[in-house]
Amino acid sequence: MPPKNPERPLLFLDACCIINLFATGLIEEILASLPYRLATSRLVATREVLSIARIASPPDGPLEREVISPARLENTENLAVLDLVTDAERADFIRFTAEIDDGEASVCALAVAHQGGVATDDRRALRVLGRIAPRVPTVQTPELFHDWARLTRAPERTVKDVLRAVRLRARFYPRRDAPCFEWWERYFR
């Protein structure tokens, strides 16, 4: 069942966006502040979101991996985990898997079925979604964090710490052509 609060647009998060959010250590606070009803697919929750880097002690020590269990993801507030249940959802999933990975395909199929958007940083998924389902809006990681920072009026230091955690723990840095790249980049100068 899609998350409550129908006046907000529905947004399906793929694995990369979820991993980036978990890397902050503030996932529930960030999700609560975003202007969306957020969801992901059970396939992403059980097979794609596996781990993030653990912050080492001391900070310059070796990086280890921190497991993100499916149960932890399913118990995350403000994030619904949905199954592909209808024939239409399964048919769209098959159509998308012909061109993109299963995780991205599952959130794209759910977005089409539930008239939602997709949050992904995967170029191929963005291209395929734009061609197969051009009416489905897309969002990328920098936009999610920009919205969070703006809506919560997060202090500059907090934003910097959050974005640096994403870079270190999720090993994510946006492409130059990503929306809000300039905003993101200024925290690394």
Side-chain angles (χ1 to χ4, degrees):
M1 171 174 291
K4 295 178 179 136
N5 205 348
E7 65 273 0
R8 289 182 171 189
L10 182 58
L11 184 67
F12 288 89
L13 303 173
D14 82 346
C16 63
C17 291
I18 293 172
I19 290 168
N20 293 339
L21 289 161
F22 262 108
T24 67
L26 302 171
I27 186 170
E28 292 192 4
E29 295 167 41
I30 293 171
L31 293 179
S33 73
L34 294 174
Y36 306 102
R37 293 176 293 143
L38 297 157
T40 194
S41 71
R42 185 158 317 278
L43 189 147
V44 166
T46 58
R47 289 198 260 160
E48 304 249 333
V49 178
L50 302 175
S51 67
I52 54 176
R54 184 187 319 266
I55 296 178
S57 298
D60 58 348
L63 287 179
E64 298 174 2
R65 302 304 295 169
E66 177 183 334
V67 173
I68 302 170
S69 70
R72 183 173 169 197
L73 189 56
E74 287 195 41
N75 291 322
T76 299
E77 281 193 47
N78 299 305
L79 182 66
V81 177
L82 304 180
D83 293 298
L84 297 164
V85 293
T86 69
D87 289 342
E89 289 168 349
R90 288 189 288 268
D92 281 335
F93 172 69
I94 291 167
R95 185 168 51 139
F96 281 113
T97 59
E99 299 188 56
I100 57 178
D101 291 339
D102 289 358
E104 284 88 3
S106 66
V107 296
C108 289
L110 287 167
V112 169
H114 294 276
Q115 299 175 341
V118 172
T120 185
D121 297 302
D122 185 275
R123 278 186 185 185
R124 189 171 192 181
L126 291 165
R127 229 179 6 258
V128 168
L129 188 60
R131 191 178 85 261
I132 292 176
R135 290 192 177 119
V136 172
T138 59
V139 175
Q140 295 179 40
T141 291
E143 294 171 282
L144 293 173
F145 286 102
H146 180 267
D147 286 349
W148 158 75
R150 180 179 52 81
L151 293 168
T152 63
R153 296 187 177 126
E156 293 279 318
R157 183 74 214 165
T158 301
V159 174
K160 186 174 188 173
D161 290 346
V162 162
L163 298 183
R164 288 184 186 271
V166 172
R167 186 173 190 178
L168 175 68
R169 298 184 75 208
R171 298 202 171 117
F172 173 81
Y173 201 81
R175 296 180 317 277
R176 289 195 174 288
D177 64 344
C180 299
F181 173 80
E182 292 81 17
W183 171 83
W184 183 292
E185 174 72 6
R186 77 174 220 231
Y187 291 97
F188 291 92
R189 291 184 188 135

